[in-house]
Amino acid sequence: MKGDLRICKNGHRYYKSSDCPTCPVCEDERKPDNGFLAVLAAPARRALESAGIKTLKQLSKRSETEILKLHGMGPGSLPKLRKALHDEGLTFKEG
Ligand SMILES: [Zn+2]
């Protein structure tokens, strides 16, 4: 079962069996901006989101120390964040 064929407002065709109206193609296209959130564990992701950090650009304005202080953020998430920043040519703020 592939589900029903849907066509999103941007003309993408996709199959979905649930009631969720999210188009996977549109989701993918949004990824460059906030895809780094997807590689994080849920508590770390929520920590960033509650600090208003939803993009790598916003993340690059904070220091590693600041990020580590966020509730739910573990040291294991830092290498992933560093890499995500690096891939976009960004770094954490100094200090
Ligand atoms: Zn779409």
Side-chain angles (χ1 to χ4, degrees), residues 40-91:
L40 297 175
R45 195 164 59 230
R46 277 196 297 271
L48 289 181
E49 284 173 345
S50 65
I53 301 168
K54 296 193 174 83
T55 68
L56 285 168
K57 213 164 240 163
Q58 289 167 336
L59 183 62
S60 71
K61 296 196 172 98
R62 309 297 185 97
S63 70
E64 291 191 18
T65 321
E66 272 179 276
I67 295 301
L68 267 177
K69 277 184 200 152
L70 298 175
H71 181 73
M73 182 61 64
S77 299
L78 268 193
K80 293 177 187 171
L81 292 174
R82 247 184 249 130
K83 184 184 181 308
L85 284 168
H86 179 84
D87 287 349
E88 291 298 309
L90 299 166
T91 56

Side-chain angles (χ1 to χ4, degrees), residues 7-14 22-27 29:
I7 300 173
C8 85
K9 61 182 188 315
N10 293 320
H12 306 127
R13 292 157 163 267
Y14 61 103
T22 314
C23 163
V25 181
C26 291
E27 286 260 281
E29 285 175 355

